Amino acid sequence: MNNLRGILFITAAMAAFAIEDSFIKYLSGSVPKGQIMLLLGLGGSLVFFLVALGQRVNVFQRRHFSQALFWRTASEALAALFFITSLSLVPITTVAAVFQATPLAITLGAALFLGEQVGWRRWCAILTGFLGVLIIIRPGLAGFEPASLFVVITVFAIAARDLLTRLVPARTSSTVVSFYGFFALVLASPLLMALTGWPEAVSGGEALSLGAAVGFGVIGYYLIVTAMRMGDTAAIMPFRYTRLLFSILLGYAVFSESPDALTYLGAALIIASGLYTFLRERKLAQALRSSAAV
C-alpha cells in the first residue's frame, strides 16, 4: 500500500469536488438549476458510457438491473436535486460543513436498516455530530436559513445511496453503477426544470463553466477510486474532510463568504465525531479479525 500517494490522491479528489461545487454555485446565478443538473448528468453519463465501451460492458444489459440499483439511482437523483438547489441558495461553506455529516448518517442508517451493531460510544458520536449540524443551521434562531435544510436532506439521500450500494449485486460493475448514478440526474432534471425554469441558451463562458464542472466531477471520482485502491483506508479516509477546507477557501476567494464562529464550531463537532466513529469502527473490525484468527 502506498499511503502517501493515496493521501495525495484523495486530497486532490476533495479539491476537485470543491471546485466542481463552486462552478455549480456560480452557474446557478444565471443558468436554470434543472439545466445545470441535466448537463452534469449527460456529461458524466457519457464519460462512464465510453469507459464501459472500453471495458466491453453493455450498461443496458438486463442482468445489471436490480431493485438495489433502482433505489440507489433514485437516491442519487434525490440527492442531486437538493444538493444543486442548496448550492444555489446557501453559502458553499455551509453546504460543505453540513455535508461532512454524511459518514455519521451512513452509520446511523446501517444501524437502523442493516442491523449493524452500534455501541453507546458511536451513538454518542452520531448525536454529537448532528448537534454540530444544528449549530450550523441553527433552526429557530436569527441566523436560520430554511434552505439549509436542503443540505440535510442531501446528506440522508447520499447515506441511503451509499448503503444501497452495498446491496447491489457483485455482478454489476462499478462502471455500470457510476453510469446510472449520473444518468439519474438526467432523469430527474425535468422535475427541477419545472420548478426553477426551462433550458435557455448559454453563453460561451457558461458552456465552459459547465464543461469544467463535469470535468472536475469526473476527475474527483477517478482520483478517489484510485486513492482507495492504492492506500490503506485508515490512513487516507480522514483526508476526506479536506473538502471543507477547500470549500472555505473557495467560498472566501470566489464568493466573499466569511463563516461565523458557530459555523466553525459546528463543523469541528461534525469532523471530530466522524473521525471518532471511523476510528472506533476500525478498532472493532480489528478486534473481530483477531478473535476470528484465534
Side-chain angles (χ1 to χ4, degrees):
M1 289 295 202
N2 191 328
N3 287 335
L4 179 58
R5 288 186 66 192
I7 288 169
L8 292 175
F9 271 62
I10 201 166
T11 303
M14 295 302 104
F17 287 137
I19 295 171
E20 178 195 17
D21 295 345
S22 298
F23 275 112
I24 293 173
K25 184 171 182 62
Y26 166 74
L27 286 164
S28 66
S30 57
V31 179
K33 290 181 280 293
Q35 185 174 356
I36 296 172
M37 186 175 180
L38 171 64
L39 295 174
L40 288 173
L42 286 173
S45 299
L46 177 60
V47 169
F48 285 105
F49 179 75
L50 294 175
V51 171
L53 280 181
Q55 298 172 343
R56 297 184 179 180
V57 173
N58 181 359
V59 298
F60 301 111
Q61 258 186 335
R62 187 177 180 84
R63 69 183 182 87
H64 296 311
F65 302 150
S66 63
Q67 284 193 359
L69 181 61
F70 172 81
W71 288 113
R72 183 196 184 279
T73 303
S75 299
E76 186 85 70
L78 183 67
L81 278 169
F82 284 99
F83 185 68
I84 292 174
T85 303
S86 64
L87 273 175
S88 68
L89 300 174
V90 181
I92 190 172
T93 305
T94 300
V95 174
V98 175
F99 200 71
Q100 304 310 307
T102 303
L104 297 172
I106 292 172
T107 301
L108 175 63
L112 295 178
F113 301 109
L114 298 184
E116 290 193 11
Q117 296 298 313
V118 175
W120 67 270
R121 294 179 180 85
R122 282 188 288 168
W123 277 117
C124 288
I126 291 169
L127 292 174
T128 301
F130 283 106
L131 173 62
V133 172
L134 291 176
I135 290 173
I136 293 170
I137 65 177
R138 60 205 81 161
L141 301 180
F144 175 56
E145 294 185 61
S148 60
L149 295 175
F150 291 156
V151 195
V152 179
I153 297 173
T154 301
V155 165
F156 283 103
I158 290 291
R161 180 203 69 185
D162 288 352
L163 290 170
L164 285 162
T165 301
R166 303 182 187 183
L167 305 179
V168 174
R171 67 177 183 272
T172 306
S173 71
S174 298
T175 303
V176 173
V177 174
S178 301
F179 168 80
Y180 282 103
F182 275 98
F183 194 62
L185 278 64
V186 177
L187 297 177
S189 61
L191 175 59
L192 195 54
M193 289 179 190
L195 296 173
T196 63
W198 297 102
E200 303 173 353
V202 296
S203 66
E206 290 168 342
L208 287 174
S209 295
L210 282 165
V214 172
F216 278 106
V218 171
I219 289 169
Y221 183 90
Y222 172 79
L223 289 172
I224 198 169
V225 171
T226 303
M228 295 301 292
R229 288 180 172 179
M230 71 169 51
D232 178 57
T233 302
I236 68 175
M237 281 298 288
F239 288 85
R240 291 179 69 108
Y241 291 107
T242 57
R243 182 171 182 169
L244 177 57
L245 174 60
F246 291 122
S247 295
I248 290 173
L249 293 173
L250 287 167
Y252 177 79
V254 180
F255 303 105
S256 301
E257 296 177 0
S258 297
D260 58 17
L262 285 178
T263 299
Y264 284 122
L265 173 61
L269 285 175
I270 293 170
I271 291 175
S273 301
L275 288 173
Y276 175 80
T277 301
F278 172 75
L279 293 173
R280 182 66 182 169
E281 289 173 352
R282 177 171 173 256
K283 182 177 180 181
L284 292 173
Q286 288 176 334
L288 184 63
R289 286 195 296 268
S290 298
S291 62
V294 173

